[in-house]
Amino acid sequence: MTLFEKIIAREIPADIIYEDDFCVSFRDINPKAPVHVLIVPKKVIPRVGDAVAGDQETLGALLLAAGKIATQLGVNSTDKGFRLVINHGKDAGETVPHMHVHLLAGRELGWPPG
């Protein structure tokens, strides 16, 4: 089981802020912004580049959840805003082989990233 599967199964504690049929969202333990949460699908997809057509509903649910979570956290507005990041592979910073979305907000985020 991946770390995220253990969090989803409640075998490892996490600061869970949102959950629905498709995903669980919790605060990142090493935040890169004042608001940094992970949105993790309950269905294991190792990385976004490994997703298949059958994962379409799950992938869409992650983006819809991001909007709900951003609203819940008070950052879903054009004067504040948020960024979504999905890492794929070592060079992109992937550390857990379970696809997830980072939601970052709470400060001005520079561009280009990294």
Side-chain angles (χ1 to χ4, degrees):
M1 286 182 91
T2 68
L3 172 68
F4 294 157
E5 287 176 281
K6 291 177 182 180
I7 290 171
I8 292 165
R10 305 303 199 270
E11 293 177 13
I12 295 176
D15 185 5
I16 295 173
I17 60 167
Y18 177 85
E19 183 171 12
D20 64 23
D21 292 342
F22 293 96
C23 67
V24 171
S25 180
F26 49 89
R27 296 189 190 281
D28 194 295
I29 61 169
N30 187 21
K32 304 301 182 202
V35 174
H36 186 173
V37 298
L38 304 179
I39 307 166
V40 181
K42 291 179 176 178
K43 177 182 181 184
V44 178
I45 302 168
R47 53 199 52 82
V48 69
D50 296 333
V52 297
D55 297 323
Q56 184 172 347
E57 185 176 25
T58 297
L59 296 174
L62 293 176
L63 295 180
L64 293 173
K68 292 175 187 175
I69 294 163
T71 298
Q72 175 183 322
L73 297 174
V75 297
N76 192 1
S77 65
T78 55
D79 64 318
K80 291 192 180 190
F82 60 95
R83 179 174 292 163
L84 301 178
V85 176
I86 301 173
N87 299 319
H88 176 106
K90 181 180 158 255
D91 284 353
E94 177 190 316
T95 58
V96 178
H98 186 141
M99 192 202 90
H100 54 285
V101 178
H102 295 259
L103 187 152
L104 301 142
R107 66 171 169 80
E108 189 172 332
L109 300 169
W111 193 262

